[in-house]
Amino acid sequence: MKKVFILFSFILVFSALSTFAQDTPEKQEVPIDKILELDADHNLNVAWQYFKLRKAYKAVLMRTDETIAAHPTYSKIDEVFYLHGMSSYYLANGKGKQKLNLKDLSAEEQERFGNERLKEDALVYLTMLVDDHPDSKYFKEAKKTLVKLKPEK
């Protein structure tokens, strides 16, 4: 008798829940911009951890490349440019805990992480930061690094 009562209660609750679910209005879709912004926020947070805590500049470049490609209108794109430019600069100067041995990389990665390409990337991204985002809190440091990069160019 107990089993029948439990089974009957379960069926009653299940049917009530399914009826309730059908009566609720459709969920509104989240706008794609909001989804891209959340994804970019996540990538930026991870990139900052790689940058500050681990000094893993290659990993930072991978995260920032993804963000720049997927969401070029990101509200914090100045931070992304800063991280990308500074990570490229540091890698080009052999800094960080992630050492790049070009011999161990594929031909595509050798081109991507070659010293000259890293310096070019640093120059490009830091210049975009300085030119397009003069109110950024990273402006002064980017400008200082650009001064160091330009004599090399």
Side-chain angles (χ1 to χ4, degrees):
M1 184 72 176
K2 220 178 191 182
K3 290 180 182 179
V4 172
F5 178 73
I6 292 172
L7 181 63
F8 180 72
S9 298
F10 178 73
I11 292 171
L12 186 64
V13 169
F14 181 74
S15 64
L17 287 175
S18 65
T19 303
F20 175 74
Q22 290 173 357
D23 292 342
T24 58
E26 292 289 323
K27 288 185 178 180
Q28 290 184 341
E29 288 189 30
V30 179
I32 192 74
D33 286 345
K34 184 150 182 115
I35 293 170
L36 288 172
E37 193 78 12
L38 291 171
D39 184 51
D41 281 340
H42 172 72
N43 276 342
L44 182 62
N45 290 334
V46 173
W48 272 116
Q49 289 180 9
Y50 284 138
F51 187 81
K52 286 184 175 180
L53 302 177
R54 296 189 179 182
K55 310 268 188 261
Y57 301 122
K58 181 182 176 192
V60 174
L61 293 177
M62 304 305 277
R63 288 288 179 162
T64 55
D65 276 343
E66 183 179 326
T67 302
I68 292 165
H71 195 28
T73 59
Y74 177 44
S75 62
K76 298 176 185 173
I77 198 73
D78 63 316
E79 286 185 56
V80 176
F81 289 163
Y82 172 77
L83 287 173
H84 197 90
M86 294 305 293
S87 295
S88 295
Y89 176 72
Y90 290 148
L91 273 176
N93 290 308
K95 295 183 180 177
K97 294 180 182 175
Q98 249 182 337
K99 301 300 179 193
L100 293 177
N101 187 355
L102 293 178
K103 294 175 188 171
D104 296 338
L105 302 177
S106 68
E108 183 181 321
E109 287 180 319
Q110 286 178 9
E111 181 184 334
R112 169 69 181 95
F113 297 109
N115 218 23
E116 288 305 311
R117 171 77 184 270
L118 289 170
K119 287 178 185 178
E120 287 174 19
D121 282 355
L123 189 63
V124 167
Y125 285 98
L126 293 175
T127 300
M128 285 194 302
L129 169 62
V130 168
D131 291 348
D132 300 340
H133 304 278
D135 296 333
S136 173
K137 66 181 180 181
Y138 306 102
F139 179 86
K140 287 182 182 178
E141 190 168 350
K143 192 92 164 155
K144 287 179 190 176
T145 306
L146 280 173
V147 169
K148 293 176 187 174
L149 275 170
K150 287 193 179 179
E152 297 174 14
K153 191 79 176 141

